[in-house]
Amino acid sequence: MSNAKERKHAKKMRSQPSNVTLSSGFVTERDGKRHFGGKPSQSQKQELHSGTSRQWQIKMSPHLLPESDANEQSSSKTMFRKKGGWKAGPEGTSQEIPKYITASTFAQARAAEISAMLKAVTQKSSNSLVFQTLPRHMRRRAMSHNVKRLPRRLQEMAKKEAEKAAHQKKEHSKNKCHKARRCHINRTLEFNRRQQKNIWLETHIWHAKRFHMVKRWGYCLGERPTAKSHRACYRAMTDLCLLQDLSYYCCLELKGKEEEILKALSQMCSIDTGLTFAAVHCLSGKRQGSLMLYRANKYPRDMLGPVTFIWKSRETPGDASEERQLWIWLHPTLKLAVLEEIKTTCQCSEPVKPSICVPDPLLTPAQEGIQAGVADDKIGKKRKRRDDGENARRAKKTIGDGTGDPCQPRSWLSPTTGIVVSDLTMEMNRFRLVGPLSHCILTSALRAAPVHRVLACLLHSALHLEPSPALVILLASCFCCICTFLRLQGEEDAEETPHGWWTDTCRSPDGLSLHQRQEAVFQLLGGISSPAEIPAGTILGLTVRDPRVNLPPQRCRALPDPERYHDNEQVKQLLLEGAPVECAHSFIWNQDICQSVTENKIVDQDLNRMRSELLVPGSQLVLGARESKIPILLIQQPGKVTGEDRLGWGSGWDILLPKGWGMAFWIPFIYRGARVGGLKEAAVHSQYKRSPNVPGDFPDCRAGVLFAEDQAKDLLEKYQRRPPAKRPNYVKLGTVAPFCCPWEQLTRDWESRIQTREAAVIDSVPGAQETGPRRLGVPRVPKETCQLSNEASVAENQPRKPEGCQAQAGTEAALEQNASEDHAAATGSQLCVVRSRKLLKQLSSWCGPSSEVRRAPCRGQQELTRKACLSILADFPRALVWVSLSLLKKGSPEPHTMICVPSEEDLIQLSQDQCYHGPCESRHSDPFKSLILKEKEKKKKEKRQDGEQGASKGRAAGAPTAGQEAWIQGLWSGPLPGLTSHCSRPLLGFVTHGDFSMAVGCGEALGFVSVTGLLEMLSSQSAAMRGLVLLRPPTTLQYRFARVTIEV
């Protein structure tokens, strides 16, 4: 009998009673096994013979046995195995019927068999449900929950199963959906708790549903949309509008006398880099300025970072004794260093403690009682909202910085200068609109705050005018609106409103006229096609009404109407001069007013309730005196201002709002057609403007160094997650630093390269020792530094020494590292980035190709001579310069792409063959691969020899020490070799941002190059080929030609 048939028969007999047997061709052994066919065993033969003899005995003398046994024997048959199958009775004959039976005993035996048969029929033979026992063609999906879909004979059994399952079913939560079960009992308190580690912006919940979120710089920020929107965001920046939340930017406020503030801040900036805090247009409060901050009197080194600043306009023009306010906006990674330096230069040492130090409790007593009661309740029951009357208060939402201690001071006072430095981080919201439709979205989403007294004055003056048909029609059409406004004005005068500051402003003639002028200028923006037409940095203050009141019922796109202001003289004046100085005034500078506006905001829940109570759904909601008036500040962003192509691209407006009003302005902007972008879109915006991105493109800044280290760490982890066979071998590709840009070593190698060449020229000329490089102006580095760099370059070009020599080599390397660290601590970092506008213009004119008919050099610029190069190198021996690269042929650069110097043969071949893409680097050898394999084999051998005890010792001995780096296959181990001489083409710099540019239609890249190497390359190239370089991505051996430009 096969195993399948055994399992089938066992399944049939599993639920049968012991006194019921099925007549089949199966014989059960004593051990429980069944056999079909074949010869019976010896035990089976003995049983058969014994059974045969016993049956003959029963036949001959039935009275000797009990009646029940006789009946059972008479009613059963013994099966014998014969040729051709199983036959009944001895020798194939059936047993004779007994002569008599006892009725009671026979009926009792048959009743037991019938009951057993009924039980076997009614009892299930498996764990399947009733409807699952039906044939497949009779099953229906509804049978599992609807008993009436089953056949009538099975409905009773299905009901019993349903009742039994209802008792055995585990009790679940009665909340309908899974999302509701996961929701916290108090969502606001849960969100407040989650904001204690990383700061949430006011638009965080909106971003979290639609963006990939990342934790950076102490904030939870949206990196990129979940939808594919790279091209859509570029089209929005170019033709439509892109919206970004920049509320994570930090704001530092300085209050004091103008002379003292300028005197202190003049030490942290230089006029060589551009305008300073004392620029005329910026000092009046009319424009926004931008500059680079350095440590006091440390220019051009020890950079702190780029900042933008705004001066509050003077209330009384010409008053020098008036106290001024200055806002400095900067990236969060630069905040600590800039704040400490400003406090040092302004001598602000005394902290100003907050007047009220009350930490925000996460739970009120009533809420704690509620949660304690909920904890005692049985899990799974529906939690009902409890109303405790006066104790039931709405949980307060965390607005602003929820991670800081409210008891810590945020202002510092200088007892000598009287300057007060305050940290206003997260006290305001900052949104950025980029694109040509920024004006349309602003003018359609925002409305100037209503001034009801103005309408009354207009009505009074109109009644005293000479009557005319047009005037009568105008008054008749506006009668209802004017009456409504007058009624609301009466209500506002009758009751006390929380917006008393706005009432006082409307009662003042000066404030009223200023608001009218600001509203008129704001309305003129709707007739301007692009923000780039307005002067850069224009500031416009305004007080607007609640934008939620005039929210459209569905999303639409705001479109410009240039014909409306086609021949308007005010528009022309706005394009030439910008907004007037007095229009830059805004109540957002007053912290008390901003606090009042934040606290008296109508909650969305109450606003929606009032909308639902309108008699006509969808009609205008009139809030009257309760409507909020929000002070804002509009700042024009110039976009691309360098170079000659696409000037003004990426221009837009920044909107400053009081805290708590972020979502109230965010949703109306989106409903007018703005597309939202994240950190990735901000980086693309900076890349297309060809401007450095903060903080990654500032290698001479501490924040830039930390950003590069974190980025290299993440890329290394991603590289190690892939097996060696599925990742590139950078050692064979000749890529020394695939994850970072060693700027210090690059500038040092170029400096030593030039000095070595100058020394060789001096040695070749007899008697030229006295006219050495020092007389020509070539800068020299200390002797110790030269020796260390030379020894390092010798050691770097050789692989590590195995086994015995490693300890000695490690000791020597540690001594060299300590010596270099001591020297760096004594002299400081010599790396800097050239930001002098005069020098950048000089380098930009040298990088471009020149023809035979060259135009004369501009005023103050020199020809590319040796003397001019040496004078630059004397001031900037180890400097970098920001460059833009455009590929001549196909190719798409990527970050960490190497910028190399082409050889003369490459330039000659390119001039002869215009289809020549570039040379190809030869494959390098990997000296570390054999060492890594030997190390692995050595560890395996030790593990096999030593066994368990030796394995533990080997693990203890084989663990990498603090000074020893683990070898990674495919990466360069140990100190880096000489960067300029490692490959066939000298390395000039690295690319920090690179991709295919949709604006130009070819590959573009941004990066830094060594000033020393750039001057060396330009001086060696011909006039027609000047400015050509080679680009090689880290994962390929192919070089491609590109042109380098320096935009000022």
Side-chain angles (χ1 to χ4, degrees):
M1 176 180 175
S2 63
N3 294 332
K5 291 184 177 180
E6 284 185 7
R7 289 193 298 269
K8 185 176 180 180
H9 187 269
K11 186 176 179 181
K12 288 183 178 180
M13 300 297 297
R14 180 173 52 191
S15 302
Q16 301 297 332
S18 58
N19 59 347
V20 176
T21 58
L22 299 178
S23 65
S24 59
F26 300 100
V27 178
T28 306
E29 289 185 339
R30 294 177 183 178
D31 55 356
K33 295 184 180 180
R34 300 173 176 84
H35 301 273
F36 182 80
K39 291 184 178 182
S41 60
Q42 187 68 23
S43 59
Q44 291 176 349
K45 291 180 180 181
Q46 293 177 359
E47 290 179 0
L48 293 176
H49 289 294
S50 61
T52 306
S53 60
R54 187 183 179 190
Q55 289 175 359
W56 282 105
Q57 292 177 3
I58 294 172
K59 181 179 179 181
M60 297 300 297
S61 57
H63 61 277
L64 298 177
L65 295 175
E67 295 180 359
S68 60
D69 291 344
N71 294 334
E72 292 177 3
Q73 291 293 337
S74 62
S75 61
S76 61
K77 295 181 180 180
T78 305
M79 310 300 293
F80 289 91
R81 175 79 185 271
K82 290 215 173 212
K83 186 176 181 181
W86 292 86
K87 304 296 181 180
E91 297 181 0
T93 60
S94 62
Q95 188 177 1
E96 296 180 359
I97 300 177
K99 295 182 179 180
Y100 62 91
I101 59 173
T102 305
S104 59
T105 307
F106 182 80
Q108 185 177 3
R110 301 291 79 76
E113 293 180 359
I114 292 172
S115 62
M117 183 183 64
L118 293 176
K119 183 179 180 181
V121 172
T122 57
Q123 185 179 1
K124 294 188 303 181
S125 61
S126 63
N127 294 329
S128 60
L129 299 177
V130 174
F131 72 91
Q132 293 176 340
T133 59
L134 292 172
R136 293 188 180 275
H137 70 279
M138 294 180 62
R139 297 182 189 180
R140 297 294 182 269
R141 184 181 302 173
M143 291 179 178
S144 59
H145 58 84
N146 189 1
V147 179
K148 294 183 179 181
R149 297 300 299 269
L150 286 165
R152 294 181 183 274
R153 58 185 178 85
L154 300 176
Q155 289 184 6
E156 294 295 333
M157 297 176 60
K159 289 179 181 180
K160 294 180 181 180
E161 287 182 352
E163 293 175 359
K164 184 177 179 181
H167 291 294
Q168 295 179 354
K169 189 176 181 181
K170 186 178 179 181
E171 188 176 3
H172 293 287
S173 175
K174 293 186 179 180
N175 290 330
K176 294 292 184 179
C177 61
H178 176 69
K179 183 178 180 181
R181 291 197 300 268
R182 292 180 63 247
C183 182
H184 196 266
I185 185 173
N186 193 322
R187 186 177 300 180
T188 303
L189 297 178
E190 177 67 11
F191 287 167
N192 293 346
R193 182 191 64 81
R194 291 166 60 183
Q195 295 182 57
Q196 294 179 0
K197 188 175 181 180
N198 294 285
I199 303 175
W200 285 10
L201 305 183
E202 294 184 15
T203 59
H204 172 82
I205 302 298
W206 190 94
H207 278 91
K209 296 177 181 179
R210 301 164 178 86
F211 276 68
H212 295 281
M213 306 300 291
V214 293
K215 294 181 175 62
R216 288 186 185 174
W217 315 310
Y219 295 85
C220 285
L221 304 176
E223 184 182 22
R224 66 187 187 280
T226 53
K228 294 182 179 180
S229 58
H230 179 70
R231 290 181 177 269
C233 289
Y234 169 74
R235 287 193 296 266
M237 288 184 284
T238 306
D239 302 325
L240 305 176
C241 182
L242 183 74
L243 177 62
Q244 294 174 324
D245 189 356
L246 302 183
S247 302
Y248 60 91
Y249 266 66
C250 304
C251 179
L252 303 179
E253 183 185 57
L254 277 74
K255 286 184 179 180
K257 293 184 178 181
E258 180 181 312
E259 296 180 357
E260 297 293 340
I261 295 177
L262 291 177
K263 181 180 178 181
L265 296 180
S266 62
Q267 308 173 33
M268 302 176 60
C269 55
S270 175
I271 198 173
D272 292 343
T273 60
L275 300 178
T276 61
F277 290 100
V280 177
H281 288 292
C282 300
L283 192 60
S284 63
K286 186 178 181 180
R287 306 281 176 83
Q288 174 188 248
S290 61
L291 49 80
M292 302 290 177
L293 286 185
Y294 295 83
R295 295 197 179 274
N297 303 319
K298 294 291 186 179
Y299 174 80
R301 294 175 178 83
D302 292 340
M303 184 195 178
L304 296 176
V307 299
T308 58
F309 62 93
I310 305 171
W311 285 94
K312 181 183 178 182
S313 59
R314 294 187 180 94
E315 297 180 3
T316 56
D319 188 4
S321 61
E322 181 184 350
E323 189 179 64
R324 300 296 304 274
Q325 276 182 265
L326 174 66
W327 282 351
I328 300 177
W329 290 85
L330 67 163
H331 197 268
T333 57
L334 314 174
K335 173 187 168 182
L336 294 179
V338 173
L339 180 59
E340 293 299 327
E341 192 66 23
I342 290 178
K343 289 165 57 178
T344 303
T345 54
C346 297
Q347 303 176 8
C348 297
S349 57
E350 296 183 3
V352 179
K353 295 184 179 180
S355 58
I356 300 177
C357 178
V358 180
D360 291 338
L362 291 180
L363 292 175
T364 61
Q367 293 163 351
E368 289 181 356
I370 291 175
Q371 289 207 352
V374 171
D376 297 337
D377 292 343
K378 187 177 180 180
I379 299 175
K381 289 187 176 181
K382 186 175 182 179
R383 298 187 294 268
K384 296 183 179 180
R385 182 175 296 176
R386 303 184 183 183
D387 189 4
D388 296 339
E390 297 180 356
N391 295 330
R393 294 183 300 173
R394 185 178 296 166
K396 187 177 180 181
K397 180 182 177 181
T398 299
I399 300 176
D401 188 0
T403 62
D405 187 359
C407 297
Q408 293 295 330
R410 303 190 68 178
S411 300
W412 297 267
L413 173 65
S414 173
T416 57
T417 60
I419 300 176
V420 180
V421 179
S422 303
D423 182 10
L424 301 183
T425 302
M426 296 300 296
E427 292 296 322
M428 286 175 286
N429 290 301
R430 182 161 187 159
F431 297 158
R432 175 166 294 177
L433 292 169
V434 180
L437 296 186
S438 302
H439 290 154
C440 306
I441 292 177
L442 284 175
T443 55
S444 60
L446 305 181
R447 296 285 189 273
V451 181
H452 310 316
R453 293 187 180 274
V454 176
L455 293 175
C457 296
L458 289 176
L459 179 62
H460 182 269
S461 60
L463 293 176
H464 288 79
L465 291 176
E466 185 175 347
S468 62
L471 180 60
V472 173
I473 295 174
L474 178 63
L475 290 177
S477 61
C478 299
F479 180 75
C480 297
C481 183
I482 292 174
C483 291
T484 305
F485 281 136
L486 291 176
R487 178 177 56 81
L488 294 176
Q489 181 64 34
E491 294 179 359
E492 184 176 352
D493 294 338
E495 63 183 30
E496 292 185 2
T497 62
H499 313 295
W501 61 275
W502 180 244
T503 305
D504 298 339
T505 302
C506 294
R507 290 172 182 172
S508 173
D510 297 336
L512 197 58
S513 62
L514 178 60
H515 178 70
Q516 292 176 0
R517 295 190 61 182
Q518 290 177 341
E519 182 180 1
V521 174
F522 178 71
Q523 292 298 330
L524 292 177
L525 296 179
I528 301 176
S529 59
S530 174
E533 300 179 9
I534 300 177
T538 299
I539 298 176
L540 176 62
L542 190 64
T543 303
V544 298
R545 63 187 303 184
D546 195 337
R548 298 173 294 175
V549 175
N550 59 334
L551 189 68
Q554 59 185 2
R555 294 184 64 173
C556 58
R557 178 174 295 177
L559 298 176
D561 188 10
E563 297 181 357
R564 181 180 178 184
Y565 304 96
H566 182 61
D567 295 330
N568 197 331
E569 295 295 333
Q570 296 180 355
V571 174
K572 297 179 181 179
Q573 185 178 1
L574 179 62
L575 297 179
L576 292 176
E577 301 178 0
V581 179
E582 58 271 13
C583 292
H585 171 74
S586 176
F587 291 102
I588 199 172
W589 292 91
N590 193 328
Q591 297 298 322
D592 297 333
I593 293 179
C594 291
Q595 186 70 19
S596 174
V597 172
T598 301
E599 293 176 354
N600 297 304
K601 175 191 173 185
I602 301 178
V603 186
D604 292 342
Q605 182 179 354
D606 299 338
L607 199 66
N608 295 332
R609 178 180 54 80
M610 288 185 285
R611 278 202 186 101
S612 64
E613 295 175 355
L614 291 175
L615 296 179
V616 180
S619 60
Q620 183 70 24
L621 180 64
V622 180
L623 299 178
R626 294 175 297 172
E627 184 177 355
S628 300
K629 285 79 178 176
I630 307 101
I632 65 172
L633 200 65
L634 301 176
I635 307 171
Q636 194 269 354
Q637 296 298 322
K640 188 177 184 299
V641 295
T642 59
E644 299 178 356
D645 59 329
R646 297 186 296 113
L647 289 177
W649 184 93
S651 59
W653 287 88
D654 282 8
I655 303 98
L656 300 184
L657 314 167
K659 67 178 181 180
W661 284 89
M663 288 302 298
F665 282 77
W666 186 263
I667 298 299
F669 289 156
I670 297 175
Y671 267 58
R672 261 70 179 197
R675 176 178 285 274
V676 183
L679 295 177
K680 181 181 177 182
E681 284 70 29
V684 173
H685 181 240
S686 299
Q687 178 182 347
Y688 280 27
K689 289 196 306 180
R690 297 175 186 171
S691 61
N693 188 29
V694 185
D697 293 336
F698 291 86
D700 57 340
C701 177
R702 179 61 181 168
V705 174
L706 296 178
F707 180 83
E709 291 177 357
D710 295 341
Q711 187 182 34
K713 183 180 178 181
D714 296 340
L715 292 176
L716 179 60
E717 291 178 355
K718 183 179 179 181
Y719 180 80
Q720 288 180 319
R721 285 197 295 266
R722 304 183 66 182
K726 302 299 180 183
R727 64 191 186 195
N729 190 330
Y730 291 111
V731 179
K732 292 185 178 181
L733 293 172
T735 306
V736 179
F739 307 136
C740 63
C741 303
W743 304 113
E744 290 276 0
Q745 185 175 349
L746 177 66
T747 55
R748 185 174 62 247
D749 290 354
W750 271 108
E751 187 181 21
S752 60
R753 182 187 181 97
I754 298 300
Q755 288 179 356
T756 304
R757 183 175 300 177
E758 293 291 338
V761 173
I762 292 172
D763 294 340
S764 61
V765 179
Q769 285 78 6
E770 297 180 358
T771 62
R774 185 174 297 274
R775 186 182 67 83
L776 297 175
V778 178
R780 285 183 177 272
V781 294
K783 185 176 180 180
E784 296 85 354
T785 306
C786 295
Q787 292 177 355
L788 289 174
S789 62
N790 293 335
E791 293 175 1
S793 62
V794 173
E796 289 157 2
N797 292 323
Q798 298 177 359
R800 286 187 177 181
K801 300 178 182 179
E803 299 183 2
C805 301
Q806 286 185 357
Q808 183 178 359
T811 305
E812 293 176 357
L815 294 175
E816 291 178 0
Q817 183 178 2
N818 294 334
S820 62
E821 289 178 357
D822 295 340
H823 175 72
T827 60
S829 177
Q830 299 295 325
L831 180 67
C832 68
V833 177
V834 176
R835 294 186 177 90
S836 174
R837 296 185 61 85
K838 181 179 178 181
L839 183 55
L840 289 176
K841 290 180 180 179
Q842 183 69 71
L843 295 175
S844 178
S845 63
W846 289 347
C847 288
S850 57
S851 58
E852 297 180 357
V853 184
R854 289 192 57 189
R855 54 187 178 92
C858 299
R859 181 180 178 182
Q861 296 183 3
Q862 304 176 4
E863 292 288 341
L864 182 58
T865 59
R866 180 179 179 81
K867 182 178 179 180
C869 295
L870 293 180
S871 64
I872 295 174
L873 295 179
D875 298 332
F876 300 95
R878 296 181 183 176
L880 301 172
V881 62
W882 176 257
V883 297
S884 173
L885 303 115
S886 179
L887 288 168
L888 300 184
K889 304 293 181 180
K890 66 177 184 179
S892 178
E894 60 187 51
H896 305 104
T897 296
M898 292 167 282
I899 308 173
C900 304
V901 180
S903 60
E904 295 182 3
E905 292 78 8
D906 300 335
L907 298 177
I908 293 174
Q909 189 170 356
L910 177 63
S911 61
Q912 296 176 355
D913 185 8
Q914 295 297 328
C915 297
Y916 179 61
H917 295 289
C920 189
E921 178 74 15
S922 59
R923 186 173 293 273
H924 295 227
S925 61
D926 188 359
F928 304 101
K929 186 174 183 179
S930 59
L931 298 178
I932 294 174
L933 295 177
K934 288 181 181 179
E935 188 70 19
K936 289 183 179 180
E937 293 295 334
K938 182 180 178 181
K939 289 182 180 180
K940 291 181 180 179
K941 187 176 181 181
E942 291 178 355
K943 189 174 182 180
R944 286 195 301 266
Q945 291 178 355
D946 298 341
E948 295 182 357
Q949 184 177 1
S952 60
K953 294 181 180 179
R955 285 193 296 268
T961 59
Q964 180 183 359
E965 296 180 359
W967 285 341
I968 302 175
Q969 186 174 350
L971 296 179
W972 192 276
S973 302
L976 299 180
L979 297 179
T980 58
S981 59
H982 183 69
C983 298
S984 60
R985 271 66 176 177
L987 182 63
L988 188 62
F990 293 95
V991 170
T992 58
H993 294 281
D995 199 356
F996 180 83
S997 175
M998 290 180 284
V1000 184
C1002 65
E1004 278 195 342
L1006 300 171
F1008 291 93
V1009 297
S1010 172
V1011 175
T1012 307
L1014 180 64
L1015 294 176
E1016 176 70 16
M1017 182 193 72
L1018 295 177
S1019 59
S1020 62
Q1021 290 180 347
S1022 61
M1025 293 292 181
R1026 189 169 295 168
L1028 291 180
V1029 295
L1030 293 173
L1031 297 182
R1032 183 166 74 90
T1035 57
T1036 183
L1037 298 173
Q1038 178 67 44
Y1039 289 94
R1040 297 194 181 276
F1041 283 99
R1043 183 169 297 280
V1044 59
T1045 56
I1046 299 176
E1047 297 183 349
V1048 185

